[in-house]
């Protein structure tokens, strides 16, 4: 656990130290990238829950997200991460788990204006359900869900992390690491419950171009002609 905290702190420090000069040298009124939304898809690597999985293998999942610029330096993202069905020995079968995250990003743009680091903080909603076949875990820790001994647990947590973006016209790449603070399922003590690594591709949906309609053009021409005739009569 100490290694995870040290690695997270080092990542945040490195990202800020590399990107800060670019922010200082860039103008304050710099415009955000001309995109209405950013859509991203990629993979995720997660331990799912340190308190439940007891340091077991990490699981690969799918990550989908929508990004939106709210200021030139800030973005908000909504993310969905799902992991494949698996077994958690010895008590749980048909495990299904997914997360929904909402994060605020603060960007540190590099001098080339097409890449940069960001730091993030936000909230996570974690949903985990599985079929219970064992006798070693008290059932009171979980909420009964449906028939056939299916149980569910829901967890809320706080996200903190860092990431890196590269924008290449409409397309781009991203990589990210964040950890989640939350009470474990075994007690109410706040702790690092998971560390998630994700990477993928990004597509920026361009801002719609504002075009003047034919009707408005005709109206403006008609008004101009009327004004011209009125001025001519006055003369």
């Amino acid at each position: 656990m100490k290694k995870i905290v040290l690695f997270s702190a080092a990542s945040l420090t490195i990202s800020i130290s590399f990107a800060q000069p670019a922010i200082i040298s860039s103008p304050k009124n710099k415009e955000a990238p001309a995109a209405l939304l950013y859509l991203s898809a990629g993979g995720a690597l997660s331990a799912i829950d340190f308190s439940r999985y007891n340091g077991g293998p990490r699981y690969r999942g799918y990550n989908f997200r929508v990004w939106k610029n709210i200021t030139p330096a800030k973005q908000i993202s909504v993310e969905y991460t799902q992991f494949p069905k698996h077994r958690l020995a010895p008590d749980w079968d048909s495990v299904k788990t997914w997360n929904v995250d909402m994060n605020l990003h603060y960007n540190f743009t590099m001098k080339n204006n097409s890449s940069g680091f960001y730091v993030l903080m936000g909230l996570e909603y974690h949903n985990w359900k599985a079929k219970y076949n064992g006798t070693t875990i008290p059932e009171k820790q979980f909420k009964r869900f449906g028939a056939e001994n299916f149980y569910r647990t829901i967890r809320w947590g706080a996200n903190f992390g860092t990431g890196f973006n590269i924008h290449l016209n409409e397309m781009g790449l991203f990589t990210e690491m964040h950890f989640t603070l939350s009470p474990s399922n075994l007690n109410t003590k706040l702790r690092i419950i998971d560390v998630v690594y994700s990477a993928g591709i990004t597509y920026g949906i361009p801002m719609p171009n504002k075009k003047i309609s034919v009707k408005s053009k005709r109206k403006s021409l008609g008004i101009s002609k009327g004004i011209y005739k009125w001025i001519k009569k006055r003369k």
Side-chain angles (χ1 to χ4, degrees):
M1 189 62 65
K2 290 182 179 179
K3 290 181 179 179
I4 294 171
V5 175
L6 290 173
F7 177 78
S8 304
S11 301
L12 291 171
T13 304
I14 291 170
S15 63
I16 293 172
S17 63
F18 272 99
Q20 195 173 14
I23 278 289
I24 293 171
S25 62
S26 62
K28 292 183 179 179
N29 59 353
K30 179 184 171 183
E31 294 182 357
L36 181 64
L37 288 173
Y38 294 95
L39 305 178
S40 299
L45 187 66
S46 169
I48 298 179
D49 189 334
F50 289 137
S51 66
R52 186 185 299 129
Y53 284 70
N54 297 321
R58 291 186 176 273
Y59 290 86
R60 296 182 178 89
Y62 305 97
N63 178 268
F64 305 96
R65 58 182 67 186
V66 179
W67 315 56
K68 173 69 176 176
N69 284 97
I70 54 177
T71 71
K74 296 177 184 177
Q75 287 179 329
I76 189 169
S77 71
V78 179
E79 308 171 20
Y80 174 79
T81 306
Q82 183 173 349
F83 299 94
K85 186 188 295 185
H86 58 277
R87 182 174 184 269
L88 180 59
D91 299 310
W92 300 100
D93 289 324
S94 303
V95 179
K96 295 180 181 180
T97 183
W98 50 270
N99 301 330
V100 175
D101 299 272
M102 179 176 289
N103 295 319
L104 178 67
H105 299 180
Y106 190 87
N107 298 294
F108 297 87
T109 308
M110 304 299 283
K111 289 182 180 180
N112 57 15
N113 293 329
S114 63
S115 62
F117 291 92
Y118 61 89
V119 293
L120 69 88
M121 63 181 300
L123 295 175
E124 178 181 273
Y125 171 84
H126 171 80
N127 188 298
W128 186 94
K129 65 179 181 179
K131 184 177 181 180
Y132 183 69
N133 291 324
T135 58
T136 59
I137 300 176
E139 296 181 7
K140 292 180 180 179
Q141 294 179 2
F142 302 89
K143 183 179 178 181
R144 185 73 178 261
F145 175 75
E148 297 183 358
N149 287 329
F150 273 93
Y151 289 82
R152 169 185 287 166
T153 182
I154 292 173
R155 185 187 71 223
W156 290 91
N159 295 329
F160 301 92
T162 183
F164 182 75
N165 274 325
I166 300 176
H167 294 288
L168 307 170
N169 296 325
E170 290 85 6
M171 302 300 294
L173 302 171
F174 79 92
T175 180
E176 181 182 293
M177 182 280 298
H178 78 262
F179 62 89
T180 304
L181 288 173
S182 176
S184 69
N185 295 297
L186 303 179
N187 54 60
T188 58
K189 184 179 179 181
L190 193 67
R191 55 173 289 185
I192 294 179
I193 209 74
D194 191 15
V195 177
V196 181
Y197 303 89
S198 56
I201 58 174
T202 300
Y203 174 74
I205 300 176
M207 286 284 190
N209 294 324
K210 294 182 180 180
K211 296 181 180 180
I212 301 173
S213 63
V214 177
K215 290 182 179 180
S216 63
K217 285 182 179 178
R218 287 176 179 173
K219 286 181 180 179
S220 61
L221 289 172
I223 292 169
S224 300
K225 286 180 180 179
I227 293 171
Y228 174 75
K229 288 178 180 179
W230 180 77
I231 292 172
K232 195 173 181 181
K233 287 181 179 179
R234 295 284 292 177
K235 288 180 178 180

